[in-house]
Amino acid sequence: MKIRFLICSLLLSLLSTAAWAQMTDDQVVSYVQSGLKNGKSEQQLGRELLSRGVTRSQLERLKSQYDANGYWSGDKSNSNGSVDNDRRRTATQETGPGRNSRDNRNATDDRSGRNGRTGDRTLPRDGRPGAQEQQNLRPEESLQPTPEEDAWAGFFRTMTDTIPPQPEQRIFGHDLFTGSSLSFEPNENLATPANYKLGPGDEVIIDIWGANEDNLRERISPEGNIIVAQLGPVYLNGLTIQEANAKLRQVFAYKYAGVGGDDPESDISITLGQLRTIQLNVLGEVAVPGSYRLSPFATLFHALYQAGGVTPIGSLRAVEIHRNGKLLKRVDVYDYLFSGKLKEDIRLEEGDVVIVPPYRNLVEIEGNVKRPMYYETTEGETLSRLLEYAGGFTGDAYTGEVRVVRQTGREQQLSSVRDGEYGAFALEDGDRVTVSASLDRFSNRVEVRGAVYRPGMYELGDGIRTVGELVRRADGATEDAFLARALLSRESSDMTPETVAVDLRSILDGRTPDVELRRNDVLFIPSQLDLTELGALTIYGEVARPGNYPYALHTTLEDLIVMAGGLRDGASTARIEVSRRLTDADSEHATKELAQVYSFSIRDGLVFDGQTGFELKPFDVVIVRKSPGYQKQRTVEIEGEVSFSGTYTLVHKNERLSDLVRRAGGVTDYAYLRGARLLRRMNDEEKAVRDETLQLALRNSGSDSLVVNKIALSDTYSVGIELDKALLRPGTSIDMVLREGDKLIVPEEVSTVAISGDVMRANTVLYQPGKSYKYYIAQAGGYGDRAKKGSVYIIYMNGMIAKAGSRGAAIEPGCTIIVPTKRARNGQFLSQILGVATTAASLGTMAASIANLAK
């Protein structure tokens, strides 16, 4: 870690002192590949590259290219100074010798052949060769990454992860030539400019029509000539299209009769076919200075774009164009950026030199302006001009004064420039201008709150100078306003808050002098309702919508019952209670009484007992009780081997099993009374016992308690009954009393016995009279390895449970023999519980048995 830290520190120090002269992307790739072949480490290569001006942004660009393609696609031996492979291909191919847009001569206009002047593109924009080029590649030129390229990928990933991003210094206009959406690429489909001069490499198309017809296509030689049959060389270098047309007319007059003269019988027209490329140099503070071959229609801005834009110290205010060794023009790019003057975008010619010098003055403006950033200024430009560059002040800016911090060479100097002096204050290099925000407070605001018709903020001034005028402007106080004591909150002379009590009633009546308002005063007028606690009314019991209701004056007991939706069917009209809170503000001793209780009767919707129209008070609680004579129907079911199965309504509270069978017409001849069972719906208390028992069993068995959330427990359970004995002795304790929701099932005769639990294989076998439980366990393959042989129990169809081998625990048809396991492990006990519950459909009845099995 220490070595890595030292390396990172060294890289950072080298980065901070790197020169602006940068290597091209191709040069970086070649340098790294060569260094890796020579055994140099990534850290060593990093130090060398940083010392040569390679920046983090350049490394990130190379990284994104590699991530997109997976390989390097450019010609690594070519280092003509282009920014990347895309731009080099654009510059060299768009106007190269391979252009064939002039070959299409089907258009009727002599200029129509210029469509598609951008020419052939033999490589796509991503730099990958096309299908034809891939077929022609030699094995050593395949697109698969080489080991050196893989090593390079690791290198620049390490570098970009190590070097922290440099703080952004946004200079206005510097991103103009680095984006992809604005390249200033010349439009070659337009008519040839009148001042365009022919040169070596241009192809001229000569059309002759009239009495004589001919068509010639010739390319201007490096000497500036074209060769015309029978006439020899014709010098066209440096001529415009119009001048060349006039000269050819004179020349062809020697070859064709009727071409010359005042009334020629034939006419001549000259147009351009394929265009040449011009070579120029872009030097100075650009990202990649060097030589570029561009379209002859290329302009200054397109050349700057091809060079990657200007560096952070490059100037946009004095870009120089040199032609034939002399300064042609100094271009101010700001004229284009702020005024859209394209006259600054000068068309370049062969041999031109573009020089971007360092800036003279760079100033920063920050704060409340619309476009805070760095701006380049010329000598003598003022603060007023800088504010125009920055888009002017924002709406919340303080425009009365601007602060300027200037570097004097020894220390900093602060200047406060007042409004009106902006046009006279000249800026210098390094100035930092700050525009502050206006104060977050009001100079003429007052506010009224509380019990007025139009609360809010108002302007302090004409019409509102006193408290009374403010209240009247707010359309006066409301009817519930407490005018005896309004509160005026204000700031004292030392800005500490203070509160002044105001007798607003006396002021409005004119009995006391009005109070003068100050800036930021807030007048609060309380409401009488705010000063009185109005508690809610509460109603419980047999009403349609029990709950809380807001208190209102003169609300009666009948009113509250109506608001609650009226009485339910089971409500008692003989006894309705109202409990009232005890309030005695003058009391000095505690009392044993807790509340006052009033009892009423209701008849025909009116309270009587001498209390008709009883008015309620805040916090009163009304309880409407259930009538003791109100009973809902309670139903039970019976199904199976009875004459009339179905649902029956209980007539008496103590109706029993025998009564239900008798009302159902008795049992049939095929009924198995020993197997009759009763399913009972759990009440809330039984559900709580069931859940607690299951949790206890889970804890004792060591199973995960979270498993209980995944168990779908039934809300019904089986009650152990003996229907045969109940029918023989009706009305006795064995004849169980029914309750709502009970379901009596009288099955047919059953002739099987089920064996489950810790046996070799759970099985169901034919019932054999007189056989013991061991016989049936043997039918299931015998005991399992961990069977708890002494705790075998039997579950009968009627819901009864008995321990096997105990007195009276005989095997009956339809019963289930359960063999438990000695020790619970990894949820096995829970599985056993679920198996038993599925067989008997009863967790509630077996709660005690489950708890014992878990021990």
Side-chain angles (χ1 to χ4, degrees):
M1 292 297 294
K2 292 183 178 179
I3 296 176
R4 185 179 182 85
F5 176 77
L6 292 175
I7 293 173
C8 294
S9 301
L10 182 57
L11 292 177
L12 291 175
S13 62
L14 289 172
L15 179 62
S16 62
T17 58
W20 285 112
Q22 288 180 297
M23 301 172 66
T24 65
D25 292 352
D26 292 338
Q27 290 171 343
V28 172
V29 174
S30 300
Y31 191 91
V32 173
Q33 290 176 334
S34 176
L36 292 173
K37 289 180 180 179
N38 295 331
K40 293 184 179 180
S41 65
E42 297 175 356
Q43 290 79 5
Q44 182 180 358
L45 288 171
R47 289 194 296 270
E48 294 174 358
L49 287 174
L50 291 175
S51 64
R52 285 166 171 78
V54 176
T55 62
R56 176 188 172 91
S57 60
Q58 187 175 12
L59 292 174
E60 289 178 341
R61 182 172 64 249
L62 292 171
K63 183 176 185 293
S64 62
Q65 290 178 7
Y66 189 92
D67 291 341
N69 299 329
Y71 55 86
W72 298 110
S73 56
D75 180 10
K76 298 176 178 56
S77 62
N78 185 358
S79 58
N80 61 359
S82 63
V83 174
D84 51 34
N85 296 330
D86 281 349
R87 293 189 179 180
R88 185 176 64 253
R89 284 193 298 275
T90 302
T92 57
Q93 294 177 9
E94 65 182 355
T95 58
R99 290 178 70 250
N100 55 6
S101 59
R102 296 285 185 171
D103 294 342
N104 186 0
R105 304 294 296 168
N106 297 327
T108 58
D109 190 90
D110 61 346
R111 296 288 185 182
S112 63
R114 288 190 187 159
N115 294 331
R117 187 178 286 181
T118 52
D120 295 340
R121 296 290 202 275
T122 57
L123 288 179
R125 290 290 293 174
D126 62 359
R128 304 188 185 192
Q132 184 64 38
E133 287 76 5
Q134 293 187 29
Q135 294 178 2
N136 297 331
L137 289 176
R138 296 188 301 274
E140 61 272 15
E141 296 173 330
S142 66
L143 302 182
Q144 297 299 324
T146 64
E148 292 81 3
E149 289 173 333
D150 285 337
W152 157 250
F155 159 76
F156 69 69
R157 287 193 177 95
T158 301
M159 291 294 293
T160 53
D161 291 341
T162 301
I163 305 174
Q166 296 178 348
E168 183 180 10
Q169 185 184 27
R170 297 182 59 205
I171 304 176
F172 181 78
H174 277 214
D175 56 351
L176 178 65
F177 304 109
T178 57
S180 58
S181 58
L182 188 62
S183 65
F184 299 98
E185 186 175 1
N187 184 2
E188 298 179 354
N189 292 324
L190 297 177
T192 304
N195 60 348
Y196 178 76
K197 296 182 179 180
L198 299 173
D202 283 337
E203 182 186 39
V204 293
I205 302 173
I206 305 171
D207 292 317
I208 303 174
W209 70 92
N212 304 284
E213 291 189 2
D214 200 355
N215 174 263
L216 294 87
R217 299 177 67 98
E218 294 292 336
R219 187 179 298 278
I220 299 177
S221 67
E223 290 77 18
N225 300 317
I226 62 171
I227 303 299
V228 179
Q230 300 178 2
L231 296 177
V234 179
Y235 189 80
L236 298 180
N237 183 39
L239 300 180
T240 64
I241 294 293
Q242 185 177 2
E243 293 171 345
N245 197 72
K247 183 172 184 177
L248 289 174
R249 187 183 302 275
Q250 296 175 1
V251 171
F252 277 92
Y254 296 104
K255 181 177 180 180
Y256 299 105
V259 171
D262 297 333
D263 188 18
E265 299 177 357
S266 300
D267 203 353
I268 296 178
S269 174
I270 178 173
T271 58
L272 286 176
Q274 295 182 358
L275 300 177
R276 72 185 190 278
T277 61
I278 62 173
Q279 181 170 327
L280 52 90
N281 297 325
V282 183
L283 305 176
E285 298 302 329
V286 291
V288 185
S291 298
Y292 292 88
R293 299 199 65 84
L294 304 177
S295 164
F297 296 157
T299 62
L300 168 66
F301 290 175
H302 184 54
L304 293 176
Y305 174 80
Q306 291 296 326
V310 300
T311 65
I313 65 170
S315 174
L316 291 177
R317 308 297 305 271
V319 181
E320 299 178 357
I321 302 176
H322 292 259
R323 183 170 295 168
N324 299 324
K326 297 181 180 180
L327 176 62
L328 177 66
K329 186 177 179 59
R330 281 192 177 90
V331 177
D332 188 348
V333 181
Y334 274 27
D335 287 343
Y336 167 75
L337 293 175
F338 289 103
S339 304
K341 297 179 180 178
L342 279 176
K343 67 178 184 179
E344 302 296 329
D345 193 13
I346 299 174
R347 186 169 60 84
L348 301 176
E349 296 184 3
E350 176 75 27
D352 282 354
V353 178
V354 177
I355 299 177
V356 178
Y359 64 77
R360 293 289 301 274
N361 297 323
L362 187 67
V363 298
E364 180 187 8
I365 184 169
E366 59 184 5
N368 293 71
V369 290
K370 297 175 181 176
R371 195 165 45 230
M373 60 174 61
Y374 285 87
Y375 292 88
E376 184 183 352
T377 61
T378 58
E379 201 69 30
E381 276 194 315
T382 64
L383 181 58
S384 177
R385 187 62 172 166
L386 176 64
L387 291 172
E388 293 179 11
Y389 291 158
F393 296 107
T394 59
D396 58 344
Y398 175 61
T399 61
E401 185 177 89
V402 172
R403 294 190 298 271
V404 180
V405 177
R406 176 165 294 173
Q407 307 292 337
T408 63
R410 179 178 179 181
E411 57 188 2
Q412 296 183 350
Q413 176 182 330
L414 176 65
S415 299
S416 296
V417 185
R418 304 288 295 177
D419 187 15
E421 301 175 357
Y422 299 157
F425 188 87
L427 297 172
E428 296 183 5
D429 184 31
D431 283 354
R432 185 170 71 251
V433 180
T434 303
V435 178
S436 60
S438 60
L439 297 178
D440 188 17
R441 66 178 186 178
F442 294 89
S443 60
N444 61 343
R445 180 195 67 174
V446 290
E447 184 177 0
V448 60
R449 302 173 183 172
V452 291
Y453 285 104
R454 296 186 182 276
M457 294 184 292
Y458 291 88
E459 176 187 357
L460 177 63
D462 294 338
I464 301 180
R465 296 186 180 276
T466 64
V467 169
E469 292 174 346
L470 175 61
V471 174
R472 282 187 285 270
R473 176 63 70 87
D475 282 352
T478 59
E479 290 81 359
D480 62 333
F482 183 72
L483 302 179
R485 192 177 183 87
L487 300 178
L488 183 63
S489 300
R490 58 179 27 172
E491 298 171 351
S492 61
S493 57
D494 59 352
M495 300 303 292
T496 58
E498 63 176 342
T499 301
V500 179
V502 178
D503 186 352
L504 189 58
R505 185 181 300 279
S506 298
I507 292 176
L508 295 178
D509 293 342
R511 291 183 281 111
T512 58
D514 208 342
V515 178
E516 288 285 337
L517 292 173
R518 302 176 188 170
R519 182 183 66 180
N520 294 326
D521 277 357
V522 177
L523 177 65
F524 173 69
I525 304 174
S527 168
Q528 294 181 8
L529 299 178
D530 296 334
L531 303 177
T532 305
E533 185 179 14
L534 298 179
L537 299 174
T538 305
I539 184 169
Y540 296 133
E542 298 300 313
V543 291
R545 295 187 296 273
N548 297 325
Y549 291 86
Y551 170 78
L553 288 173
H554 309 303
T555 301
T556 64
L557 178 58
E558 297 96 317
D559 297 335
L560 182 58
I561 292 175
V562 171
M563 286 189 289
L567 302 177
R568 291 180 179 173
D569 291 340
S572 172
T573 59
R575 188 174 181 180
I576 296 178
E577 290 185 354
V578 178
S579 61
R580 178 163 294 172
R581 179 179 295 185
L582 294 178
T583 57
D584 186 1
D586 299 328
S587 176
E588 297 181 357
H589 303 284
T591 177
K592 65 178 181 179
E593 295 181 0
L594 298 178
Q596 290 179 322
V597 179
Y598 304 90
S599 183
F600 303 95
S601 300
I602 293 181
R603 180 176 296 173
D604 298 330
L606 298 176
V607 176
F608 63 98
D609 290 343
Q611 295 291 336
T612 302
F614 179 79
E615 290 190 4
L616 301 175
K617 291 185 178 181
F619 304 105
D620 276 358
V621 177
V622 178
I623 302 176
V624 180
R625 302 196 181 279
K626 183 178 179 181
S627 173
Y630 177 79
Q631 294 292 336
K632 292 182 180 179
Q633 298 92 330
R634 304 179 187 180
T635 60
V636 294
E637 292 183 63
I638 184 171
E639 66 177 34
E641 295 301 316
V642 292
S643 298
F644 302 97
S645 60
T647 302
Y648 290 83
T649 301
L650 297 176
V651 180
H652 306 289
K653 286 188 177 181
N654 60 345
E655 197 162 349
R656 299 176 182 270
L657 290 172
S658 58
D659 296 330
L660 179 59
V661 173
R662 177 172 42 79
R663 292 174 63 186
V667 298
T668 66
D669 296 338
Y670 305 103
Y672 179 47
L673 297 180
R674 288 289 298 171
R677 66 182 184 274
L678 181 70
L679 296 181
R680 176 158 290 177
R681 188 182 304 156
M682 286 186 177
N683 56 31
D684 294 339
E685 183 179 357
E686 289 171 336
K687 290 179 182 179
V689 172
R690 176 198 64 185
D691 296 339
E692 181 64 26
T693 304
L694 183 59
Q695 292 286 355
L696 177 63
L698 290 170
R699 289 194 296 269
N700 291 338
S701 65
S703 300
D704 188 356
S705 60
L706 294 177
V707 179
V708 72
N709 296 326
K710 301 180 181 179
I711 302 175
L713 298 177
S714 174
D715 288 338
T716 60
Y717 61 93
S718 179
V719 179
I721 63 173
E722 294 179 289
L723 184 59
D724 53 343
K725 295 180 181 180
L727 296 179
L728 292 176
R729 291 181 288 176
T732 62
S733 59
I734 201 170
D735 189 9
M736 181 178 295
V737 176
L738 299 173
R739 78 181 189 190
E740 183 181 11
D742 283 353
K743 183 176 183 180
L744 178 61
I745 302 173
V746 182
E748 295 179 342
E749 188 73 30
V750 179
S751 59
T752 59
V753 175
I755 309 98
S756 65
D758 201 340
V759 292
M760 297 302 295
R761 180 175 181 179
N763 198 7
T764 301
V765 300
L766 187 65
Y767 169 73
Q768 298 292 337
K771 296 293 185 180
S772 69
Y773 72 94
K774 295 182 180 179
Y775 164 79
Y776 294 100
I777 292 175
Q779 300 302 310
Y783 293 106
D785 294 337
R786 307 193 63 80
K788 198 172 182 180
K789 300 177 182 179
S791 299
V792 179
Y793 56 95
I794 305 168
I795 301 177
Y796 296 96
M797 285 186 65
N798 60 7
M800 306 283 287
I801 301 176
K803 185 175 181 180
S806 62
R807 190 173 188 179
I811 303 299
E812 295 180 359
C815 69
T816 300
I817 301 172
I818 304 296
V819 181
T821 302
K822 288 182 180 180
R823 184 179 178 184
R825 179 188 302 176
N826 297 331
Q828 295 176 1
F829 181 71
L830 181 60
S831 301
Q832 179 180 342
I833 292 174
L834 296 178
V836 172
T838 302
T839 304
S842 173
L843 272 177
T845 304
M846 297 185 296
S849 301
I850 291 172
N852 291 331
L853 289 173
K855 296 180 180 179

